[in-house]
């Protein structure tokens, strides 16, 4: 789970190592900066991008945005641009998402109290309790993207990958520069058997957040040691992309 250190755009340190993935096959169609195979769910182009399904009420009773279309479609457009290695398109799409009105700020102090309690539960391995408390925090302040990101991490730990993906897409729709959410989305996609799309999410975390080197070093570690073969492959693919290589060069 991501703990804020005052810079919400950075990727933070992720400590989730959960095995298990489901296989699914779809047809590739876009030119990619990543080596693409037929398992990529975001390689179909942008005309009809896959939209997240409404998650269970127990997880997301107040889905944002109400119509669930424009911002989330933008997230998938950013993924496709990441797969194609086009940082310019990614940043332009990010700017468009940023311009969309966001929910009003709620009870921020209550939300943070709930989040602190959830972090304690998470560290103790009580993932279900962490999910409940983070969901309460999210209801207290629907505008806080970090709460949704942490809810996504808790759902990953609890192996509720579909719910985690939905929450993380919404977190990114609220704040597309949130590197931690892109990293978590990449973990979900890798665990669901889609390393190409996962690599695109990892690439997105490097392209849109600062400091970019944080994610690069993390992906190097994942590519060498993660116990989930899908995550390991996705990290290795991300490291081969032009965007990540350029970030690594700049940081030297």
């Amino acid at each position: 789970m991501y703990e804020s250190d005052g810079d919400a755009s950075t990727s933070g340190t992720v400590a989730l190592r959960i095995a298990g993935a489901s296989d699914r096959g779809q047809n590739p169609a876009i030119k990619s900066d990543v080596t693409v195979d037929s398992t990529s769910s975001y390689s179909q182009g942008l005309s009809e991008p896959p939209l997240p399904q409404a998650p269970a009420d127990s997880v997301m009773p107040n889905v944002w945005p109400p119509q669930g279309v424009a911002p989330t479609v933008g997230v998938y457009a950013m993924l496709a641009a990441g797969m194609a290695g086009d940082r310019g398109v990614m940043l332009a799409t990010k700017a468009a998402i940023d311009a969309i009105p966001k929910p009003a700020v709620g009870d921020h102090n209550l939300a943070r109290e709930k989040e602190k309690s959830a972090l304690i539960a998470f560290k103790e391995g009580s993932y279900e309790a962490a999910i409940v408390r983070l969901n309460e925090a999210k209801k207290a302040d629907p505008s806080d993207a970090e709460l949704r990101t942490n809810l996504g991490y808790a759902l990953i730990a609890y192996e509720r990958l579909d719910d985690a993906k939905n929450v993380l897409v919404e977190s990114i729709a609220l704040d597309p520069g949130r590197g931690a959410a892109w990293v978590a989305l990449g973990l979900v996609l890798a665990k669901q058997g889609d390393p190409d799309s996962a690599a695109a999410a990892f690439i997105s975390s490097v392209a849109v957040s600062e400091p970019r080197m944080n994610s690069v070093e993390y992906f190097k570690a994942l590519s060498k040691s993660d116990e989930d073969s899908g995550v390991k492959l996705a990290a290795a693919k991300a490291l081969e992309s032009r965007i990540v290589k350029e970030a690594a060069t700049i940081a030297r």
Side-chain angles (χ1 to χ4, degrees):
M1 185 178 293
Y2 171 73
E3 294 184 66
S4 175
D5 58 3
D7 183 358
S9 67
T10 61
S11 62
T13 301
V14 184
L16 300 177
R17 303 287 187 275
I18 308 155
S22 58
D23 295 326
R24 46 182 189 172
Q26 306 212 19
N27 296 322
I30 66 171
K31 183 178 179 181
S32 175
D33 188 43
V34 178
T35 302
V36 181
D37 61 39
S38 61
T39 64
S40 177
S41 65
Y42 300 118
S43 59
Q44 302 175 63
L46 301 180
S47 58
E48 294 183 7
L51 294 176
Q53 299 298 311
D57 287 346
S58 61
V59 179
M60 290 284 290
N62 55 331
V63 175
W64 180 90
Q67 301 303 315
V69 180
T72 51
V73 168
V75 174
Y76 291 111
M78 288 181 69
L79 271 174
M83 188 175 290
D86 195 330
R87 187 168 184 248
V89 171
M90 296 175 72
L91 294 177
T93 307
K94 174 184 178 296
I97 297 173
D98 281 333
I100 296 172
K102 304 301 189 289
V105 176
D107 190 335
H108 183 74
N109 291 334
L110 176 61
R112 289 302 178 188
E113 289 179 7
K114 296 285 187 181
E115 182 186 36
K116 288 179 181 178
S117 177
L119 287 169
I120 292 171
F122 185 91
K123 290 177 179 178
E124 293 175 346
S126 301
Y127 304 132
E128 188 171 14
I131 290 168
V132 171
R133 294 168 193 174
L134 284 166
N135 194 47
E136 292 173 349
K138 181 185 61 60
K139 287 194 290 185
D141 187 2
S143 71
D144 194 325
E146 181 182 312
L147 297 175
R148 294 178 191 268
T149 300
N150 280 339
L151 178 56
Y153 280 124
L155 288 163
I156 293 171
Y158 204 51
E159 299 188 41
R160 295 174 60 172
L161 298 182
D162 287 337
D163 286 335
K165 181 173 72 172
N166 291 324
V167 171
L168 291 165
V169 167
E170 290 190 344
S171 176
I172 295 167
L174 280 169
D175 181 4
R178 174 162 289 278
W182 283 111
V183 170
L185 181 60
L187 292 173
V188 170
L189 295 169
K191 292 175 186 299
Q192 290 183 322
D194 192 351
D196 294 319
S197 297
F202 289 160
I203 293 166
S204 297
S205 76
V206 174
V208 303
S209 65
E210 298 292 345
R212 297 165 71 188
M213 195 59 189
N214 282 7
S215 293
V216 175
E217 291 301 317
Y218 177 59
F219 300 147
K220 287 180 180 178
L222 283 183
S223 69
K224 296 176 181 178
S225 63
D226 196 281
E227 65 185 36
D228 186 299
S229 60
V231 172
K232 186 174 182 178
L233 176 59
K237 285 175 176 284
L239 289 168
E240 288 302 311
S241 76
R242 176 173 53 84
I243 291 173
V244 175
K245 286 181 177 179
E246 288 177 352
T249 300
I250 291 170
R252 287 174 187 161

